[in-house]
Amino acid sequence: MNIENIGQPFLKKFPGDFSNNPTQRNTPKVLFATIKPAGFDHPQLIAFNETLSEEIGLGKFEEKDLNFLVGSQLPDNIQSYATAYAGHQFGNWAGQLGDGRAILAGEITNATGKKTEIQWKGAGATPYSRRADGRAVLRSSVREYLMSEAMYHLSVPTTRALSLAFTGEDVIRDIMYNGNPRYEKGAVVIRTAESFLRFGHFELMFAQGEHKLLQDLLDFTIENYFPEIVSSDHQKYKDFFENVCIRTADLMVEWFRVGFVHGVMNTDNMSILGLTIDYGPYSMMDEYNLNFTPNTTDLPGRRYAFGKQGQISHWNLWKLANALQPIINDEKFLESTLNNFGVYFWEAHDKMLCKKFGFDGLRKEDEDFLTNWQGIMQELELDHTLFFNQLEKITPDTDLKEYFSPAAYTVLNEEKLRKLEDFIDQYQSRLQSNTISREESLELMKTTNPKFILRNYLLYQCIEEISNGKTEMLTKLTQALENPYQELFPEFSVKRPSNYDDTAGCSTLSCSS
Ligand code: AMP
Ligand code: MG
């Protein structure tokens, strides 16, 4: 790998703490602290993403690169660092946070000039680790590695994953926070993104009253990551906020399209570029349920439930607006932009649903149809993904009971079946009035509705296998997730087996990672 080409431009642009000191502390007035990964003597490779490595300019992996993958024995050109950010967690101001177990190796530029940041997750403590150890366990690392790539291949904006390796060191975790700590194998993922900047970076500068730094960070972000902004002077900050709103809304629509629930949408987990970031207690949704949250910590309030992700991102954007107000200095503008978010989001959301149904566009009368659909899905406990896959193949004489029962998590009794029949009738007549051909309509459905989603139970099985030294499932899931709009393995196109309904680490996940 071309590790020697990694540089750290961020370090030259902004003030930082260069002490390389992992002691937990506040680092006011700086955006980062240099820090070296802990270093692990016996790393073991689990997976490496060759295509991504070539694409970002890191080239081919050789045996000698293994140390780099866990952050050991780094060459001199790598001055690694962790960034400081803040955030609102579960609705409350949490003060300074920061990369607690993420360490940036720096940035690499590929042959076309594209720049990519490279980051270890789980490679050791930083000044921002608070009381934790900066390590990561195998299960959370596998989940990040596979799911970020699955999202990429689904065409959802996301950070990506380059490698997954055992550190050779055990870490202790109390998975369900119930006083039962146990040792687990430690692992490190290298993840990549154009930038890992979050809403929280801007919130931190605002909270510290560092308005000059806040503006510098805005200038840097606009110049490097927002080519769509062509305005200059003061207008560019307004355009920036509008663009962040649009990117965030578009991302939420994509999450709704594929049925992704993030689980911890705190402002420190919101990418300023509109990427899916920080894969923790997330889940793909099996049975459609607007109240579904995979995160046990979120269960009392269900703040981060599937159906709330639009509203919550709006709330998070409101916090970002607060942080940017000293620079934008126009409350009326921020308020109206935030109001427009709701309008933009819902329209984009409904248009996306219409595509899933194969409609020619969104009509006024479709709104009732879509609301009705949500009710049916929830009441009949239909599998979000399988439902749309089945819909593609439906004909007027399909036996609905036989056809949809394998996609339902409850028995389709007479009453439920009648509701489904009425709904399918409405659907058929809406299709009849399409101004596009049946072929075009089917094409829309096939490109909008994935055939394969990385369900939690599959991840659970894969993690079990890797823990036992086997990688067949990993290989197979990687193939499936790289081709989500095809059905490579029919055994993955079924609903979640009932024995996984109540499995901890599968149906419910904690933040312990
Ligand atoms: P999360 O809610 O998972 O995004 O984490 C919130 C904060 O806790 C972030 O600043 C993380 O960097 C930090 N954090 C989470 N797990 C660890 C860990 N094992 N070691 C150090 N910091 C952590
Ligand atoms: Mg986080």
Side-chain angles (χ1 to χ4, degrees):
M1 290 165 77
N2 310 317
I3 299 160
E4 65 284 358
N5 294 342
I6 298 173
Q8 294 81 28
F10 196 80
L11 266 57
K12 296 185 186 83
K13 289 238 160 55
F14 294 104
D17 173 326
F18 284 86
S19 63
N20 281 320
N21 171 9
T23 308
Q24 326 287 291
R25 63 194 187 274
N26 280 336
T27 57
K29 299 178 199 301
V30 300
L31 274 161
F32 64 85
T34 57
I35 193 76
K36 294 191 187 322
F40 303 101
D41 294 336
H42 304 288
Q44 192 192 329
L45 185 65
I46 306 169
F48 185 79
N49 190 341
E50 278 170 46
T51 325
L52 178 64
S53 189
E54 294 282 358
E55 193 183 306
I56 63 177
L58 270 178
K60 289 218 174 341
F61 173 79
E62 293 166 61
E63 208 50 47
K64 66 173 170 53
D65 300 319
L66 181 56
N67 281 321
F68 171 74
L69 300 188
V70 293
S72 298
Q73 298 174 26
L74 296 177
D76 290 344
N77 64 300
I78 293 183
Q79 190 173 20
S80 51
Y81 61 105
T83 67
Y85 52 78
H88 282 82
Q89 300 189 316
F90 292 91
N92 305 307
W93 175 241
Q96 180 193 280
L97 303 163
D99 296 322
R101 54 167 175 172
I103 299 179
L104 281 143
E107 190 181 89
I108 185 137
T109 308
N110 75 2
T112 68
K114 187 174 160 253
K115 297 182 164 93
T116 306
E117 284 189 338
I118 293 157
Q119 186 176 75
W120 295 281
K121 191 166 174 179
T126 78
Y128 313 112
S129 297
R130 297 191 283 177
R131 278 170 299 280
D133 57 8
R135 268 63 167 178
V137 293
L138 176 71
R139 60 189 154 79
S140 69
S141 307
V142 172
R143 286 171 53 80
E144 168 118 22
Y145 182 84
L146 288 180
M147 194 64 204
S148 61
E149 284 303 298
M151 292 289 261
Y152 170 77
H153 291 285
L154 284 163
S155 302
V156 181
T158 179
T159 62
R160 296 195 63 186
L162 180 75
S163 62
L164 169 64
F166 282 121
T167 58
E169 185 195 272
D170 284 350
V171 288
I172 192 156
R173 290 288 183 274
D174 183 2
I175 304 187
M176 293 323 268
Y177 304 124
N178 56 4
N180 290 308
R182 66 178 174 100
Y183 281 100
E184 296 184 56
K185 283 199 165 106
V188 171
V189 165
I190 291 189
R191 56 181 187 176
T192 71
E194 196 182 1
S195 165
F196 287 99
L197 285 171
R198 301 144 190 267
F199 288 16
H201 284 99
F202 298 85
E203 288 181 278
L204 180 64
M205 291 300 111
F206 168 67
Q208 294 183 352
E210 294 289 337
H211 296 173
K212 167 76 172 61
L213 267 181
L214 177 61
Q215 185 159 2
D216 289 348
L217 185 62
L218 272 169
D219 288 340
F220 173 84
T221 308
I222 294 168
E223 190 187 320
N224 286 285
Y225 311 120
F226 283 77
E228 63 266 47
I229 298 178
V230 290
S231 53
S232 53
D233 306 325
H234 189 246
Q235 182 60 34
K236 75 175 175 192
Y237 302 120
K238 291 187 171 179
D239 290 350
F240 170 74
F241 184 66
E242 251 169 17
N243 271 290
V244 175
C245 286
I246 290 173
R247 287 197 193 190
T248 305
D250 288 345
L251 180 67
M252 293 306 116
V253 170
E254 283 296 276
W255 287 3
F256 280 103
R257 175 174 69 86
V258 300
F260 177 80
V261 197
H262 184 284
V264 210
M265 286 177 69
N266 295 330
T267 56
D268 52 297
N269 289 337
M270 295 292 290
S271 149
I272 201 78
L273 307 194
L275 308 172
T276 312
I277 192 171
D278 281 7
Y279 290 85
Y282 68 80
S283 178
M284 293 305 285
M285 187 172 59
D286 297 322
E287 61 269 51
Y288 186 88
N289 180 0
L290 293 168
N291 297 318
F292 171 57
T293 180
N295 181 358
T296 48
T297 313
D298 190 37
L299 275 177
R302 295 183 188 269
R303 179 183 173 86
Y304 299 138
F306 177 66
K308 285 233 213 88
Q309 298 183 117
Q311 281 157 263
I312 287 295
S313 59
H314 188 236
W315 192 92
N316 290 341
L317 284 160
W318 174 49
K319 293 297 163 194
L320 179 66
N322 271 339
L324 302 186
Q325 163 60 9
I327 310 298
I328 293 180
N329 200 15
D330 185 344
E331 276 180 32
K332 278 221 158 61
F333 162 81
L334 289 170
E335 227 166 77
S336 73
T337 310
L338 283 168
N339 285 337
N340 290 342
F341 171 89
V343 180
Y344 177 88
F345 166 75
W346 282 114
E347 190 178 332
H349 174 269
D350 288 357
K351 279 187 174 156
M352 172 278 293
L353 280 182
C354 283
K355 277 193 195 160
K356 285 179 81 74
F357 280 105
F359 295 165
D360 49 1
L362 172 66
R363 298 180 192 169
K364 187 85 200 100
E365 64 268 26
D366 291 335
E367 282 165 23
D368 284 343
F369 172 85
L370 296 176
T371 312
N372 186 16
W373 166 73
Q374 288 185 326
I376 300 261
M377 290 297 286
Q378 194 131 340
E379 192 184 334
L380 275 60
E381 297 178 40
L382 286 162
D383 189 277
H384 183 237
T385 304
L386 296 178
F387 173 79
F388 283 105
N389 292 163
Q390 291 294 75
L391 210 56
E392 267 172 33
K393 296 175 266 178
I394 208 163
T395 65
D397 33 53
T398 302
D399 178 338
L400 295 184
K401 181 165 184 164
E402 197 182 315
Y403 201 61
F404 281 102
S405 286
Y409 291 84
T410 184
V411 177
L412 297 182
N413 60 21
E414 299 254 312
E415 189 199 337
K416 289 185 169 135
L417 212 52
R418 219 174 318 113
K419 286 186 181 165
L420 185 62
E421 273 162 13
D422 283 351
F423 174 78
I424 296 294
D425 282 348
Q426 281 175 37
Y427 175 58
Q428 297 281 12
S429 57
R430 173 62 180 82
L431 273 188
Q432 303 264 310
S433 73
N434 255 350
T435 53
I436 53 173
S437 68
R438 182 65 189 141
E439 289 69 36
E440 285 170 303
S441 164
L442 277 174
E443 190 55 29
L444 265 183
M445 294 179 83
K446 288 198 164 82
T447 50
T448 317
N449 299 313
K451 294 263 180 329
F452 173 80
I453 55 159
L454 191 53
R455 295 176 194 270
N456 256 349
Y457 86 89
L458 295 172
L459 278 163
Y460 185 86
Q461 290 175 349
C462 183
I463 294 163
E464 293 274 288
E465 272 206 19
I466 299 174
S467 311
N468 295 323
K470 288 192 281 181
T471 52
E472 281 83 8
M473 185 85 174
L474 176 68
T475 309
K476 209 164 153 182
L477 285 182
T478 304
Q479 276 175 14
L481 67 84
E482 285 175 354
N483 302 281
Y485 298 97
Q486 292 169 32
E487 193 189 276
L488 295 190
F489 305 101
E491 67 268 37
F492 292 155
S493 300
V494 293
K495 66 182 178 191
R496 177 192 66 241
S498 58
N499 53 316
Y500 289 101
D501 286 356
D502 299 307
T503 310
C506 184
S507 59
T508 49
L509 295 145
S510 76
C511 287
S512 154
S513 50

